[in-house]
Amino acid sequence: MEGEFRQARWAAGRDILEPTLFELSHGDGYYRFRVEPELLEELGVDSPEELVPENLMRRDLRLPSLAAPEVARHFSRLAEMNYGVDSGSYWLGSCTMKYNPKLHERLAALPQVTRLHPYQPEETVQGALQIMFELAEMLAKLTGLPHYTLQPAAGAHGEFTGALMIRAYHEDRGESQRDEMLIPVSAHGSNFASAAMAGFKVVKIPSDERGRVDMAALREAVGERTAGMMLTNPNTLGLFETEILDIADLVHGAGGLIYYDGANLNAILGRVLLSDMGVDVAHLNLHKTFSAPHGSGGPGAGAVGVVDGLKDFLPVPLVRRGENGYYLDYSVPKTIGRVRAFYGNFGVVVKAWAYLKRLGSEGVRAVSGAAVLNANYVLSKVRRLRGVSIQYGAEDPCKHEFVISLKTLRRETGVRALDIAKRLLDLGVHPPTMYFPLIVEEALMIEPTESDSKRELDRYVAALERALREAYEDPDILKTAPRSTAVGRLDEVLAARKPILSWRMYERLQEQA
Amino acid sequence: MRGKDSGGREAVRPVTGLIPNWDEETIEEMLGEMGVGSVEELFRDVPELALLRESPDIGEGGDEVSVEAEAEKILGRNLGAWNLKCFMGGGSWDHYVPALVDEVSGKQEFYTAYTPYQPEISQGSLQALFEYQSLICELTGMEAANSSLYDWSTALGEAARMALRVTRRRVLVVPRSAHPERLEVLRTYVGPHAEIREINFDRSRGTVPLDRIEEAVDEDTAMVYLEYPNFFGVAEEPVEGAADAVHRAGGLMVVGVDPSALGVLRAPGEMGADIVVGEGQPLGLYMSYGGPYLGIFATRAEPRLIRQLPGRVIGMTRTADGRRGYVMTLQTREQHIRQERATSNITTNEALMAIRAAVYLALLGPSGMRTLGEKILANSHYLQRRISEIPGLSAPRFDSFHFKEFLVSAESVDWRAAVRRLVERGILIGPWVGRWFPELGDSVLIATTERHSKADLDALVAALGEVK
């Protein structure tokens, strides 16, 4: 690991990197919209204020006041203190931080995408409906699930949608006693929360010593109250659930349905159909697998696909193709209703459509091939490093990601996974996901994606190797890391104990002090 | 892959320029170092029954040139606000988006980053989101905000769930004058365990009378919800009275806002709101056929409220050596820690849209937000007057103060046909509200924004006169 990384560190003062907008504020406003005087004349008023009833009039608006160049510089400085996929490697396990092709950004910014009102007559939005229809069709082919809704705005929103459909399905069959959702302990936290939001009691299924669903425990858990099982495959350890067909048989045999969390679809894209694994309903993350950017946290889009038996429960409306073109169909007989207004994050849908058009059949398989190849390549190097162990599935190939345990390192040096992650920041790469899944001690979850070249893979491994070596030789470097980022370690306990969630709350605390 | 090469392996071609290692030579080199025979071998743990020999057929891939051409051809079939004058409302509006907003949200450091799990290297997005929260608090008159939900409708769904948790009650009092799709989402979000009491609006004023709210509120009421302005563009005047009533009964007041009104209309925080939800789309976001949008969610700073917030929340804190910094905070509410006991399942949110809103509000400042509201008001009131002068049309249908949108009614007009005839004249209006309100079958929604000049308004009036 050669060279040195240093993030921009603006410093307006000793203790402040970049002042807030409120501190930069001066004057009483620079930006103005011009009200045409003729309008006021016609209305017979001197000022538009006179149009507002006295009891509804705004008296006081304490927004900061800045001129345009100041706003531009402020946000540029903030951007320089942030790290994106285009900055460098971003191996955040479970997040699929692949490159976001720029063509897709350009397409999504076209006025033919951005300046469409959701209630325009259908004949004026045929292009938009066609993009939605074609994306749903391609997703159906890639997953074997024939029916899709693009309404959910994110993965967890898709989980909620799917869980509601499972509930509606059982109620429709007169089996509303099915109130239990089975979820592996290693699952994403949102699975538990989504199931609970949809009114299910969560039953946790342990992992076996191979890191897979414990089949004996599953046999024990299924029964008359089983509504379904939510799982992701490959699972959060990056391991394929080898007993998937038996799992599906068990759950189906008990009268339950299989929900598939698409967070890890990148590993099997073009290689496994979800329907062949017995999946009844699934969400796909258009912002992970299908290349739309993560936007510092969002927007995403969670397409939800289902088998024939569940199509009558999909949210409304659905995009369909008829004799006179594409249209929105509100006549879904047993629909769960709406999960959001309008039709979903269309701007994100366009990006996923462009991605699949670009890849084609051959390309999707190259994605999963390269993602799995890269992960196994890195695993083969990292597993040999001192302090690293593989807690589950050490004999198996991983899929698109893998999880290492640093419990040995911690025992031998006192250095934690957190410290290694912070040191990686100094070495110029974004650290892996930490402390997840919960069943692995001192976990680092590593997902290189298909976007990193071999040189970048080697560079990241070298950074990790260096950090681990330092743990044995000079652990203080790690415990005081990072030093090359805009700030050092932050006091998260203080943030939670005395929450300051707005400038108003900050000012009030200052007044009290 | 189409077939295999002589060695029993998949044939490999660099397909897209997006995948740097996908060429024979690199794959060989990597496999060699790993001591693995083929890429297929890495899939040996997938049951034979489930493993595809070939990729499903989604068509052949294209290069950038051809994909762009195909997209432009398909999207070219759309008409919209770039070539028609858009006077549509109902939860999405053709507001002006300042160029600086696009510029900032187009910075890769913001749009390609993930949720700021590593705060030291993510101070940029964290501070921008903290500023978003702070600006929303100023605009709404609240004290704490989260860093975004999906949209107004899901923010309402989350507010209702939060009100049920905080009060441990089960009745939600909602107005029929709210956006119908939002109420549908609310029903989906709370499920069968809550009782929804829908209050009708006054047929002449288009707003919910205070006495009906007072009648509906009792000791089981978790929340009263009002929109400000409501679906018909009317600022619900009884917000303060409703807040008093629900507070006396021990429930929460939830107010839904269109933030473009808040430069000229009183902040809901001043009128007794406990939770403010709303649609951030007017704050520098495009209509985008319905998304991505921005769910606003703000509360008062009471611990019982902020400990129950849904979604990501950014807090200010310090480093060990006393520097100011920002982190995601109150995470013990969230799904990755609390699992099935989390306050919400939300993970991915609309952070980039929140950053856009922060840039928008920072750029406009107090003078921008005030003149935005003033221009919309002047446009809207001028339009109301001129349309009402057209024989056979009545505007606004309701006898109340309207902000940027209002109902136009006509006894003899089939609005579904008229909307289409107006498209031919280069104008978009709507939606027709009869699709949700049978008793308003004679009415269509018309909205104006700061994009419209007097000439645009006059053109609309002239066209309405022709198609009615």
Side-chain angles (χ1 to χ4, degrees):
Chain A
M1 185 70 204
E2 302 295 327
E4 196 174 319
F5 163 82
R6 193 166 291 282
Q7 190 180 32
R9 178 186 292 156
W10 289 89
R14 204 187 66 80
D15 300 335
I16 293 175
L17 302 173
E18 170 67 8
T20 64
L21 293 164
F22 296 85
E23 291 162 298
L24 295 169
S25 174
H26 60 95
D28 59 0
Y30 294 88
Y31 199 98
R32 275 177 178 75
F33 293 95
R34 182 176 163 271
V35 182
E36 287 167 271
E38 298 82 359
L39 285 184
L40 299 180
E41 265 168 49
E42 294 261 3
L43 289 166
V45 295
D46 294 327
S47 150
E49 269 190 14
E50 295 169 36
L51 302 167
V52 183
E54 190 70 14
N55 62 331
L56 290 180
M57 200 185 297
R58 179 125 202 180
R59 307 282 172 198
D60 165 51
L61 183 57
R62 272 189 2 131
L63 291 176
S65 156
L66 290 85
E70 298 170 296
V71 178
R73 287 176 184 166
H74 174 71
F75 285 102
S76 287
R77 289 192 288 256
L78 291 184
E80 286 167 21
M81 296 189 282
N82 227 43
Y83 186 95
V85 165
D86 292 354
S87 306
S89 294
Y90 214 127
W91 294 4
L92 210 44
S94 199
C95 301
T96 313
M97 294 297 282
K98 62 173 72 179
Y99 175 70
N100 315 118
K102 304 311 163 193
L103 172 65
H104 311 175
E105 298 302 307
R106 184 195 281 173
L107 294 176
L110 291 173
Q112 288 83 346
V113 172
T114 57
R115 295 193 64 197
L116 296 177
H117 190 284
Y119 292 138
Q120 278 182 224
E122 280 158 356
E123 61 269 26
T124 66
V125 289
Q126 285 297 300
L129 294 173
Q130 184 177 345
I131 295 278
M132 293 165 81
F133 185 87
E134 288 187 1
L135 177 65
E137 219 172 31
M138 289 190 283
L139 296 177
K141 284 184 180 153
L142 287 174
T143 57
L145 302 174
H147 314 282
Y148 269 85
T149 172
L150 303 177
Q151 198 175 102
H157 205 206
E159 294 169 18
F160 179 51
T161 306
L164 287 174
M165 291 174 68
I166 291 173
R167 198 179 74 187
Y169 168 83
H170 291 306
E171 280 171 5
D172 183 57
R173 293 161 53 96
E175 298 195 357
S176 42
Q177 89 285 355
R178 294 193 178 272
D179 63 349
E180 290 181 350
M181 189 64 83
L182 315 179
I183 304 177
V185 281
S186 62
H188 298 117
S190 55
N191 288 182
F192 306 98
S194 299
M197 263 176 88
F200 289 111
K201 184 170 162 282
V202 171
V203 177
K204 292 182 189 173
I205 308 297
S207 302
D208 65 15
E209 69 286 353
R210 294 170 56 246
R212 270 73 169 201
V213 170
D214 184 325
M215 293 302 286
L218 181 62
R219 255 176 234 112
E220 195 74 14
V222 296
E224 284 173 1
R225 291 182 63 187
T226 301
M229 178 164 190
M230 296 177 84
L231 82 174
T232 182
N233 191 17
N235 64 25
T236 59
L237 292 162
L239 300 171
F240 198 85
E241 292 285 355
T242 48
E243 309 303 310
I244 183 63
L245 302 177
D246 293 337
I247 292 172
D249 283 348
L250 252 178
V251 173
H252 286 154
L257 300 176
I258 297 285
Y259 182 94
Y260 178 84
D261 172 344
N264 295 345
L265 186 68
N266 213 45
I268 57 171
L269 203 60
R271 291 171 191 272
V272 179
L273 292 179
L274 302 185
S275 54
D276 286 347
M277 298 197 292
V279 170
D280 300 292
V281 47
H283 83 260
L284 313 183
N285 297 79
L286 301 188
H287 50 294
K288 290 182 180 179
T289 321
F290 299 97
S291 86
H294 290 67
S296 294
V304 171
V306 296
V307 292
D308 286 334
L310 284 167
K311 71 176 167 36
D312 291 344
F313 302 94
L314 283 163
V316 282
L318 296 171
V319 181
R320 296 201 197 278
R321 184 166 54 193
E323 279 172 21
N324 301 315
Y326 299 92
Y327 66 100
L328 295 165
D329 184 4
Y330 286 83
S331 61
V332 179
K334 300 166 188 169
T335 178
I336 57 162
R338 282 186 164 278
V339 295
R340 59 158 289 172
F342 312 123
Y343 328 112
N345 283 346
F346 178 62
V348 179
V349 164
V350 170
K351 298 175 193 181
W353 176 92
Y355 186 58
L356 289 178
K357 285 288 173 185
R358 195 100 188 258
L359 292 175
S361 305
E362 204 173 331
V364 289
R365 213 158 147 114
V367 165
S368 52
V372 171
L373 175 67
N374 284 359
N376 278 283
Y377 175 80
V378 174
L379 172 59
S380 73
K381 312 257 169 189
V382 167
R383 67 188 310 160
R384 291 186 231 142
L385 301 177
R386 189 173 172 196
V388 171
S389 57
I390 307 295
Q391 217 165 307
Y392 294 101
E395 324 72 39
D396 300 318
C398 68
K399 293 278 90 55
H400 64 305
E401 66 188 358
F402 61 91
V403 178
I404 62 172
S405 169
L406 297 183
K407 65 180 177 189
T408 309
L409 183 83
R410 187 173 184 186
R411 194 178 61 239
E412 292 176 354
T413 67
V415 170
R416 308 181 55 207
L418 175 85
D419 303 316
I420 295 293
K422 297 304 179 194
R423 183 60 180 149
L424 286 174
L425 292 171
D426 277 339
L427 300 176
V429 295
H430 194 287
T433 298
M434 311 180 296
Y435 299 100
F436 185 78
L438 308 175
I439 55 172
V440 175
E441 291 171 60
E442 295 297 324
L444 288 181
M445 185 186 210
I446 300 176
E447 181 181 9
T449 82
E450 72 277 14
S451 299
D452 273 23
S453 67
K454 179 170 181 296
R455 180 164 51 179
E456 284 166 311
L457 301 179
D458 290 337
R459 195 173 151 268
Y460 200 116
V461 171
L464 189 57
E465 182 173 13
R466 173 166 159 187
L468 290 164
R469 193 175 59 240
E470 287 169 348
Y472 288 94
E473 291 167 3
D474 192 0
D476 274 354
I477 296 184
L478 290 102
K479 289 178 179 167
T480 55
R483 276 173 282 197
S484 304
T485 47
V487 286
R489 287 194 201 185
L490 291 146
D491 190 341
E492 302 198 20
V493 176
L494 174 70
R497 208 176 53 223
K498 285 192 171 171
I500 303 174
L501 311 182
S502 65
W503 189 249
R504 277 191 172 195
M505 288 175 80
Y506 172 76
E507 283 185 328
R508 184 171 312 156
L509 274 176
Q510 297 297 103
E511 282 163 22
Q512 286 165 3
Chain B
M1 293 304 116
R2 321 282 162 146
K4 310 201 165 191
D5 71 7
S6 51
R9 292 193 205 145
E10 292 186 4
V12 166
R13 278 195 293 151
V15 273
T16 63
L18 296 173
I19 310 174
N21 295 336
W22 204 246
D23 59 81
E24 291 283 3
E25 198 181 332
T26 313
I27 294 174
E28 279 310 314
E29 194 185 342
M30 291 171 73
L31 290 173
E33 284 188 43
M34 295 154 65
V36 172
S38 68
V39 171
E40 289 75 60
E41 216 179 300
L42 300 172
F43 289 91
R44 65 173 186 266
D45 50 348
V46 177
E48 191 70 15
L49 272 172
L51 198 60
L52 296 174
R53 298 279 145 227
E54 269 187 26
S55 181
D57 183 9
I58 58 165
E60 212 164 322
D63 60 11
E64 264 197 77
V65 179
S66 65
V67 172
E68 181 169 74
E70 187 178 355
E72 285 176 348
K73 185 171 160 228
I74 295 173
L75 292 166
R77 302 175 66 198
N78 293 334
L79 297 174
W82 69 97
N83 54 9
L84 306 173
K85 289 287 171 194
C86 181
F87 295 94
M88 299 188 74
S92 176
W93 305 273
D94 188 29
H95 285 286
Y96 181 72
V97 177
L100 182 57
V101 174
D102 286 340
E103 168 74 19
V104 172
S105 81
K107 290 179 186 291
Q108 74 83 14
E109 293 86 345
F110 287 140
Y111 85 80
T112 75
Y114 201 75
T115 304
Y117 286 144
Q118 296 289 342
E120 299 87 351
I121 204 164
S122 312
Q123 285 300 294
S125 58
L126 284 162
Q127 182 169 337
L129 291 170
F130 177 83
E131 291 177 347
Y132 160 78
Q133 294 175 181
S134 301
L135 293 162
I136 288 297
C137 288
E138 294 303 333
L139 197 58
T140 58
M142 305 305 282
E143 293 156 317
N146 77 9
S147 69
S148 73
L149 295 173
Y150 308 133
D151 72 346
W152 186 342
S153 71
T154 55
L156 172 59
E158 293 280 11
R161 293 184 67 95
M162 177 168 152
L164 296 170
R165 287 196 302 276
V166 169
T167 63
R168 295 168 191 274
R169 297 175 175 187
R170 54 181 301 276
V171 175
L172 306 167
V173 176
V174 303
R176 203 161 155 260
S177 49
H179 194 307
E181 291 191 5
R182 270 172 225 141
L183 296 183
E184 285 175 45
V185 174
L186 171 69
R187 281 185 204 100
T188 311
Y189 263 65
V190 298
H193 304 297
E195 179 193 331
I196 296 177
R197 280 185 202 155
E198 205 169 276
I199 311 175
N200 208 356
F201 52 88
D202 181 277
R203 290 290 286 273
S204 65
R205 305 207 60 207
T207 170
V208 177
L210 181 56
D211 53 356
R212 288 188 203 164
I213 297 171
E214 287 171 334
E215 275 167 35
V217 170
D218 59 27
E219 66 279 5
D220 293 325
T221 306
M223 79 165 190
V224 169
Y225 174 64
L226 286 177
E227 292 188 348
Y228 177 77
N230 68 23
F231 185 62
F232 310 127
V234 178
E236 295 270 8
E237 286 192 42
V239 172
E240 275 178 300
D244 285 345
V246 71
H247 288 154
R248 276 197 303 274
L252 298 180
M253 184 69 211
V254 179
V255 179
V257 297
D258 166 359
S260 68
L262 295 180
V264 289
L265 297 190
R266 274 176 79 194
E270 274 181 36
M271 298 189 290
D274 299 293
I275 301 174
V276 172
V277 296
E279 181 51 69
Q281 185 264 328
L283 303 177
L285 281 59
Y286 293 97
M287 298 187 289
S288 297
Y289 202 50
Y293 284 176
L294 168 61
I296 292 171
F297 199 102
T299 69
R300 289 187 289 103
E302 283 177 35
R304 70 168 181 149
L305 297 179
I306 63 175
R307 300 280 166 190
Q308 288 293 334
L309 279 169
R312 309 281 192 199
V313 178
I314 312 304
M316 186 196 281
T317 187
R318 305 215 152 261
T319 59
D321 57 352
R323 282 175 200 242
R324 182 196 288 171
Y326 305 86
V327 292
M328 290 201 292
T329 192
L330 304 176
Q331 293 195 55
T332 51
R333 301 164 297 113
E334 287 196 62
Q335 45 78 28
H336 59 285
I337 294 177
R338 186 64 53 99
Q339 298 194 335
E340 66 273 21
R341 296 187 310 283
T343 57
S344 167
N345 69 335
I346 189 168
T347 308
T348 290
N349 54 19
E350 304 294 317
L352 193 68
M353 302 297 117
I355 292 174
R356 290 182 72 100
V359 177
Y360 183 87
L361 288 168
L363 181 67
L364 263 63
S367 57
M369 284 306 288
R370 171 160 287 269
T371 52
L372 171 76
E374 288 180 351
K375 180 161 185 187
I376 291 171
L377 264 178
N379 279 356
S380 154
H381 284 247
Y382 174 74
L383 204 49
Q384 289 167 39
R385 174 174 304 184
R386 292 292 313 277
I387 293 174
S388 69
E389 288 163 8
I390 301 173
L393 296 190
S394 154
R397 181 199 169 96
F398 294 120
D399 179 22
S400 283
F401 166 73
H402 292 69
F403 178 59
K404 76 182 174 199
E405 55 200 325
F406 52 91
L407 289 183
V408 176
S409 57
E411 279 183 16
S412 58
V413 175
D414 174 357
W415 283 113
R416 276 167 291 186
V419 162
R420 291 179 159 85
R421 287 202 300 278
L422 281 168
V423 170
E424 289 160 23
R425 286 170 169 76
I427 285 171
L428 287 166
I429 65 164
W432 169 65
V433 296
R435 65 186 271 197
W436 298 287
F437 300 92
E439 74 274 38
L440 297 176
D442 62 352
S443 299
V444 70
L445 205 51
I446 287 186
T448 171
T449 70
E450 70 287 0
R451 276 193 194 264
H452 300 133
S453 65
K454 181 168 177 295
D456 296 331
L457 305 177
D458 289 337
L460 169 63
V461 172
L464 276 174
E466 287 168 30
V467 303
K468 72 164 170 59

